[in-house]
Amino acid sequence: MKGAAVVLGNPGESAYGVIGIIGAMEEEVRLLAAKLVHLEVIQLAGIEFMKGSFAGRQVVVCKSGVGKVNAAVTVQLLVTAYGAEAVLFTGVAGALDPELAVGDLVVSLDCLQHDMDASPLGFARGVIPFQEHSVFAADPELVRLAVESGEAVLPGRVRTGRVLSGDRFIADKAEVAALRRDFGGMCVEMEGAAVAQVCGMNGVPFVIIRSMSDKADGSAPVSFAEFTALAARRSCELVEHLLGRL
């Protein structure tokens, strides 16, 4: 595939300034926002940005909404309006790797848009035409800290790999197999690659942390609402642990 991974950040560097923390849904940010000290709330482009101190770090917590456009706008505002120097995105995803179980955590190594398709122009699927990069690598230090924090919250159930994103909810077994085969994805969702691309364009380190809600084939042992509530609690614990280690 055209477009090598972009490695952002210095693996030995952990002196991040303002941290942007994004969730796609209300449940994913409510608990995080409740932890903020000296809370200041501002609305920009219809997005509520909650600024304050959390685990000794200056953070801005916000809900992006679902989809790549919402995620991209949110990240750019975090960078330009709040000076975010690192971005964490938490939420749920569908598992592509058959070894993943519902509830397992995936920490991004890199991200790619699976629905980018300019193949009639001669580009491989997933390649962004006329751009140097189509695969965006997460910051190695943030990946390391996210894995360590994930293991503290959910021992033995943390994996690293490629996060695929697209503006489609995947619920078909054949498509799951194709995404795994064609792109090497560990999981699939609807925002991470947009976060990754905007961070890459701005030179801002990032990591995507996803909790597996289902097998991306329409099956799940619990309802999505029940799982989202559980994932939100785990996410809050993980982020608090991660921020403490920064």
Side-chain angles (χ1 to χ4, degrees):
M1 175 178 294
K2 300 175 185 177
V6 182
V7 179
L8 302 174
N10 183 340
E13 178 62 57
S14 60
Y16 303 108
V18 176
I19 310 295
I21 304 172
I22 310 173
M25 296 181 292
E26 180 66 31
E27 296 87 347
E28 296 167 357
V29 299
R30 188 185 303 127
L31 292 177
L32 292 168
K35 296 272 188 176
L36 296 183
V37 179
H38 307 303
L39 176 64
E40 175 186 355
V41 181
I42 297 175
Q43 273 209 353
L44 294 171
I47 303 164
E48 193 170 72
F49 293 87
M50 294 164 280
K51 182 180 179 181
S53 177
F54 181 21
R57 307 293 307 192
Q58 288 301 306
V59 304
V60 181
V61 176
C62 52
K63 179 183 73 174
S64 67
V66 175
K68 293 187 297 180
V69 173
N70 280 327
V73 170
T74 301
V75 175
Q76 191 60 56
L77 286 172
L78 279 171
V79 173
T80 55
Y82 289 100
E85 296 180 23
V87 172
L88 314 177
F89 193 108
T90 69
V92 299
L96 296 177
D97 186 329
E99 294 185 5
L100 284 170
V102 171
D104 286 354
L105 296 173
V106 170
V107 176
S108 65
L109 291 179
D110 58 30
C111 300
L112 177 147
Q113 298 179 57
H114 69 79
D115 62 347
M116 176 61 67
D117 187 359
S119 53
L121 299 177
F123 295 90
R125 287 177 56 228
V127 169
I128 304 170
F130 314 116
Q131 282 200 189
E132 184 179 359
H133 303 290
S134 299
V135 179
F136 299 89
D139 178 71
E141 177 71 354
L142 290 179
V143 170
R144 181 183 70 81
L145 292 172
V147 169
E148 290 180 1
S149 299
E151 287 289 349
V153 173
L154 207 60
R157 299 186 65 184
V158 183
R159 300 277 300 279
T160 60
R162 173 166 293 173
V163 174
L164 302 183
S165 305
D167 286 325
R168 295 175 51 244
F169 191 91
I170 306 300
D172 178 80
K173 290 182 179 180
E175 193 163 10
V176 167
L179 290 174
R180 176 69 175 163
R181 179 191 68 236
D182 296 344
F183 298 114
M186 182 75 69
C187 65
V188 63
E189 35 86 304
M190 301 176 75
E191 297 84 26
V195 172
Q197 183 174 345
V198 176
C199 283
M201 294 168 72
N202 286 278
V204 172
F206 76 92
V207 69
I208 311 297
I209 305 163
R210 291 291 190 174
S211 185
M212 299 303 101
S213 62
D214 57 75
K215 292 281 192 176
D217 60 3
S219 65
V222 296
S223 74
F224 185 76
E226 290 175 318
F227 182 80
T228 298
L230 173 62
R233 292 193 296 272
R234 289 174 176 167
S235 173
C236 187
E237 292 178 50
L238 189 157
V239 170
E240 187 167 18
H241 190 278
L242 192 159
L243 292 175
R245 294 183 65 81
L246 282 175

